[in-house]
Amino acid sequence: MRLLVTGGAGFIGSNFVRHVLAERRDVHVRVLDKLTYAGSRDNLADVLDDARLEFVEGDICDQATVESAADGADAIVHLAAESHVDRSIISAEAAVQTNFVGSFRVFEAARAAGVQRLLHVSTDEVYGACLGEPFVETDPLEPRNPYSATKAGADHLAHSYFVTHGLPVVIARPSNNYGPWQYPEKLIPFFVWRALRDEHLPVYGDGMQVRDWLHVEDHCRALLLLLERGAPGEAYNIHGGDERPNLATIRIILDELGKPEGLIRHVEDRPGHDVRYAMDASKLGALGWEPRVEWESGIRATVRWFAEHRDWMERATARGKAYFEEWYAGR
Ligand code: NAD
Ligand code: TYD
C-alpha cells in the first residue's frame, strides 16, 4: 500500500506513521507536512531512516504540491491541520486556510490521484458541547469555536465529495488525544511543562469542563482499522470511553510529578468554552475496536514521557514563544 499522510510530523501524525510502519511491512509512507510551529522532523527522528518512509516538506494549501505528493498513492490519511482552539480564537485565519481550504485541496488531489480511500480526520468538537446523551454520528454538527467550525466545514465538504464525486471518504471523529509528542500548548503537556518549572497552572474557569481522553496509540489503531475497513461515506466516532473533569486530570499530573496543588490557578475562561465532549463509539466498536489504555495509568505514563523529554519540550515551546506570551498575558 502506498500511503500519503498529511500532517505526519505533528502529534497524531508522527504516532500514526510509526504505528503503520510497525504494523504493516508492505507499506510505503509519504509524509506531506509544512512544519509549522506544531510539526517537526524531531517527532519522526527514530523512523526517518526507514526506507519505506519519505518526507516531503510542503503546504496542503498549494494544489500543485498536494497533487504531486498524492501522485501514485493508494490511500490518503489527512491529518494536517491548525489544531488548537485557543490559537483559532486569537485569529481564525490559519485554521480557515489549512483546515477548510487545505482540506478542499486534499480532496481535489485525492480525486486526481484516484485513491481507493481517503481517511479524513475530523474531531468530536464538530458536534459542539454535549449537554445530554453522548453524540452519535448522525447528530447535527453544531461547532461553537472557530477551530471546530473549520473542521465541521471540512466534514461537510468531504461528505459532499463522496455524494457528488464518489470520492471514497471515511471520516474519523476522535476525542481529545494524549500521549508522546503532543505539542505543549495542549492541556496535558503544557501543564507538565509549567509544573516542572514550578509555574502556576492556568485553569480556565472552574476547571470542571469534561473531556473524554483517548490515548494516541488507541487512536492510531482505530485509524488503521478505518483506513482498511471503514465504509466510504460514513463517519465514525473514536473515544476513550472515560469522561473526566479537567481538574481530575490536572491533579494526576501534579501527583505524578510530586508537585503541590497550590500551583493550580483559576483564570479567565476561554470564550465559547465547550463544557463537555462525549460521544458514543459503538459504530467503531462493531468493527472490533475498543480502547485499551486505562485513563489514569495512561496519563501517568504520558506525564513521565514528557518529564523525560525536557529537551524536546524546550525546542517545541521555543517555537511557540510569541503565542504563549500573547495568550497567557494576565492569565
Ligand atoms: P498537531 O498540531 O500536533 O499537528 C498538525 C501537523 O499538521 C503539524 O505537523 C503541522 O506542521 C502540519 N500542518 C499544519 N498546517 C499545514 C499545512 N497547511 N500543510 C501541511 N502541513 C500542515 O495536530 P494533531 O494533534 O496531531 O492533530 C492531527 C489531526 O487530528 C488534526 O486534523 C486535528 O484536527 C485532529 N484531532 C486532534 C485531536 C487532539 O486531541 N490532538 C483530537 C481530535 C482531532
Ligand atoms: P485543549 O488541550 O486545548 O483541548 P480542547 O480545547 O480541544 O479540548 O484543552 C483541554 C481542556 O483543558 C479544555 O477544557 C480547556 C482546558 N485548558 C485549561 O484549562 N487551561 C489551559 O491552559 C489549556 C491549554 C486548556
Side-chain angles (χ1 to χ4, degrees):
M1 178 170 54
R2 295 184 68 82
L3 205 56
L4 170 65
V5 179
T6 70
F11 162 46
I12 298 168
S14 61
N15 279 285
F16 180 75
V17 167
R18 209 170 278 108
H19 180 74
V20 81
L21 288 173
E23 294 295 317
R24 298 287 179 271
R25 277 265 32 104
D26 187 21
V27 71
H28 177 274
V29 180
R30 181 180 289 156
V31 165
L32 173 64
D33 198 296
K34 185 182 174 183
L35 298 180
T36 66
Y37 74 94
S40 168
R41 282 189 175 82
D42 251 12
N43 301 357
L44 290 166
D46 56 326
V47 285
L48 276 179
D49 285 345
D50 192 315
R52 298 170 299 158
L53 176 63
E54 183 188 344
F55 187 88
V56 178
E57 184 175 343
D59 190 339
I60 59 162
C61 296
D62 183 74
Q63 194 65 52
T65 300
V66 202
E67 279 186 19
S68 143
D71 189 34
D74 301 310
I76 300 177
V77 179
H78 175 38
L79 286 147
E82 286 289 335
S83 67
H84 195 32
V85 173
D86 295 336
R87 285 179 187 259
S88 80
I89 293 171
I90 295 176
S91 168
E93 179 73 37
V96 170
Q97 286 305 324
T98 289
N99 303 357
F100 189 70
V101 178
S103 293
F104 157 65
R105 307 252 174 252
V106 172
F107 304 157
E108 283 292 319
R111 280 181 74 200
V115 298
Q116 292 155 25
R117 215 36 118 247
L118 167 62
L119 181 59
H120 171 64
V121 182
S122 176
T123 167
D124 59 352
E125 302 196 21
V126 295
Y127 297 116
C130 185
L131 304 176
E133 288 300 302
F135 290 119
V136 292
E137 290 82 351
T138 47
D139 280 328
L141 308 190
E142 295 180 353
R144 291 164 24 91
N145 62 60
Y147 160 73
S148 52
T150 60
K151 296 293 290 187
D155 281 23
H156 286 307
L157 194 64
H159 189 66
S160 81
Y161 268 55
F162 167 73
V163 175
T164 309
H165 298 300
L167 189 70
V169 184
V170 176
I171 298 177
R173 297 204 178 117
S175 62
N176 284 67
N177 276 227
Y178 69 99
W181 288 285
Q182 183 166 35
Y183 185 79
E185 65 191 348
K186 306 289 170 22
L187 177 75
I188 293 172
F190 180 55
F191 277 20
V192 171
W193 173 242
R194 297 210 35 128
L196 282 170
R197 295 147 58 101
D198 298 309
E199 292 170 347
H200 77 267
L201 309 185
V203 175
Y204 300 156
D206 63 6
M208 293 310 289
Q209 304 86 2
V210 171
R211 295 294 184 266
D212 179 352
W213 295 99
L214 169 68
H215 195 279
V216 69
E217 281 171 18
D218 282 332
H219 184 202
C220 290
R221 276 194 301 111
L223 292 181
L224 186 54
L225 179 67
L226 288 179
L227 180 66
E228 295 178 343
R229 292 184 39 214
E234 295 292 319
Y236 295 84
N237 294 340
I238 313 173
H239 73 176
D242 203 347
E243 292 179 38
R244 303 283 172 165
N246 289 338
L247 277 178
T249 305
I250 294 162
R251 291 200 174 101
I252 299 289
I253 296 172
L254 289 171
D255 185 69
E256 186 59 32
L257 294 173
K259 299 288 182 180
E261 293 204 2
L263 284 181
I264 293 173
R265 185 187 294 174
H266 292 274
V267 300
E268 183 192 345
D269 206 349
R270 165 194 286 172
H273 198 164
D274 288 334
V275 291
R276 175 180 171 234
Y277 293 133
M279 290 180 298
D280 179 309
S282 44
K283 185 171 172 184
L284 178 62
L287 294 182
W289 177 91
E290 59 178 11
R292 289 180 188 156
V293 181
E294 187 269 328
W295 173 75
E296 182 171 336
S297 54
I299 302 282
R300 287 184 184 279
T302 301
V303 171
R304 288 195 297 277
W305 189 92
F306 285 116
E308 287 158 10
H309 290 77
R310 284 188 75 158
D311 288 356
W312 178 88
M313 292 193 101
E314 194 86 55
R315 292 192 294 278
T317 49
R319 297 195 299 270
K321 198 165 176 285
Y323 158 74
F324 292 114
E325 283 171 2
E326 179 176 356
W327 181 254
Y328 288 101
R331 278 194 175 90

